[in-house]
Amino acid sequence: MGSLRGFICLLVLVAGSLAPAETPSVANTDSTYQSLRNITLSTESISVENAVLKRDAGTFTFQSGTICFLQPVNGKVTGAVFVGNGTFTLEPPTDGERRALSYLTKQPDKMTEEFNELTLRFTDGTYEELKKQGFKAGQGTCSPDPLNDSMKALRNRLQLRYNLIGRILQDVLSTEPGGLFAAFIKGRKYSGKMLFIIDPHGVPELNTGFSLAPEEVALLTYDENKEGIWAAFHLAHEYANSTVTNSERNGWLHIDSQKIEALIEKSGRLSAKASTTFAALANGLRVVPLDLYPTLRVSSVTDAAGKPLSFIQEDKDEDYQFFVILPQSLKKGETFTITTSYAGKDAVSNEGGGNYYVSGGARTSWYPNTTFEDYATFDMRFTYPKDFKLVATGVPVSEKTEGNQAISEWKTPQPITVAGFQFGRFKYEKRELKEFNNFTIEAYANTEPPDDIKALERYTEEDGRSSILAGNWSTTGMIKKAMGEAEISAKIYSDYFGPSPFNRIAISQQTAMTYGQSWPGLVWLPMSYFYDSTIRHQIGFDDLKGYFKTVGPHEIAHQWFGHAVTWGSYRDQWMSEGFSELAASLFLQFIQRNPQEFVKFWEDQRELITERNRQGFRAIDVGPVTMGYRLNNTRTGNIARSLIYPKGGYILHMIRMMMWQPRTGDELFKQAMREFVKTYHNKPATTEDFKAIVEKHMTPMMDLDGNKKLDWFFNQYVYGTALPTYKFEHTFENGANGGTILNIKLTQSNVDDQFRMVVPVYLEFDKGKVMRLGSIGIQGNRVQQERVDLSGLKERPKRALFNYYNDVLCSVEQ
Ligand SMILES: [Zn+2]
């Protein structure tokens, strides 16, 4: 999220056709919204004794105390404050969630918390239900503090930073009954800042950097010193009816198309007019929630006829979420077009020397947006200073200059997950691969370094120690390498995963040093990638664990995983990152500079998964890959990166190794992956969707349960945290017929009794030649002995090897 404070200017001054009509700003002026925003306690209260309020998996017991209700708005009571003695218990509906919760609470199965104060906000039947319990009208009064504290936490950028009032307004102005329930629990045991929330439209993004939707129920803490998501799951009735899926679409709207006209000034200031056409996914959509970067300030929103619409956008440093209020509610499937005029700095920043940085947070929200899995078409027109070059997602339609400005237009031939651009003073190259379906590759590098690198150069010159910054600081020399990597990866991936989803890829340089990112047809690589190893060493970016060898191929692979196929929810994001890691390993394997690089790559991944972080945790232990970024919390640290990338990759690597056949090699694996990409083209895929496709193509050897299911493997490695330890011993002896006999002793430990694996054994011959002999099936903590007659072999092997390609994610005992 953005981090800069400053003056907010709502008056937009832009050139030419982009100038929005001088409509007065109507932000936050809706009277119902204002009533909700300034709400206070009413005089209505009840005294409660052992009252119970059950909300999904959460139960509130009010042993004694007073409940005071908030003032009604439009005849609806949207909250209450409780003061007294109460208990909250949470019993998650799944084994995985019970395990994850007890990992944090250290209580088995369910969590119990005590409180003396509670604030409830709701649009469901909570008010009626509490009243129905027949308690007598309250004598006491309630302090307004709990309510005020919850309102402050919602605005605080370090806490919830979510405009819950906008969300409540959605239900208050809707023609449909609401189902929202939020409890701010001032807990005594775990945290005084705990939120239990139920939203039938998916838990909204609460300053976590990612969304828990489509899951509807969550418990989290928002204390800066004790922050994390304790539980998240679907509604109870979905489990009861077995309809749980993370490809559920319970959001409010689907964006069909975007028409964006954007002006980027030399300073980096962005002003734009976006016409967004969307369809309601539910009846009663009147207040439309959209994601727009906080520093991009909206000056007006109009309907298709140009009539101004009321909207909500609070301070950029507070609960900034953007909502548009339509004249009346839409029915499910009904479409509407809004045009939003907005502008601001910080979404794009001028880094000096013709380098511009599109803020990581703004890349999904530089236009009013929904979520990744919502594919839309784009028609974009950019205006920018003419000495710069702009490259964007989609297909370039036209490029021209007018006076001092350059104008380029971009269109998408098919709906895409997200649109973006990169621009600056670039040197670039472009190549069309005629033999490869006219696939186009472009690479862009800045001709000058940004200010902070220039300052570093200046500093060393002044210091007289220029030798410590020796080497070539120009980044344009790496254009060829980027082009080459893009070409090789695109060809390998098209073979393994099916045809390239976008017939074009542009690799661009960004000033960020520590990450790359991939949008459909457009890749940002870190500036550090464009330096040689001498320079990288001097700026402290040595090639730890092969990062610079694989960042390009990894980002290119996201064209397939993340964009051609996207993830169903945060629980499936491991596939996007993990499969891109697997793809990068294919790149390393096939460029064959050194065959050991491929083996080393997986060793590095295993280290990432099993080394202890600063908080003392190993990524593999904190939870399964299906918890995604939820694994980051203040207790176990930011550990998700060390799990979902390397272990996600390992899971697919293990599948690849199990599917490998001596005669056909990777053929089965390729068939499965191609079918996966084709089946889920322009759709979100869940972990379960992927599992079903692998099951269709798996070998008989993988079918350990004889039921054509891979539950055994997924339960251990995908939904579980298993890590077996192996000890491999072997001897050769002469057989009766003069051949060789191999005796193998394999010990499996540190697993539960049900754990099963198929462990491959290889033979090494002269000149480093390695061949797979076969596999050993093993269950539980035990020793498995095998005696293999090798008399059919022409050559006597030098030794037997176990797990040569790191086929199985495990620890090895020497
Ligand atoms: Zn990635």
Side-chain angles (χ1 to χ4, degrees), residues 10-11 21-29 298-301 308-311 313:
L10 289 172
L11 252 188
E22 288 284 319
T23 37
S25 163
V26 282
N28 314 325
T29 52
V298 178
S299 55
S300 81
V301 185
L309 299 175
S310 184
F311 63 91
Q313 190 190 35

Side-chain angles (χ1 to χ4, degrees), residues 516-518 551 554-555 558 561 576-578 580-581 629 645:
Q517 200 164 33
S518 194
V551 61
H554 171 102
E555 296 306 337
H558 275 309
F561 307 115
S576 168
E577 297 305 349
S580 296
E581 286 294 80
Y629 284 101
Y645 286 63

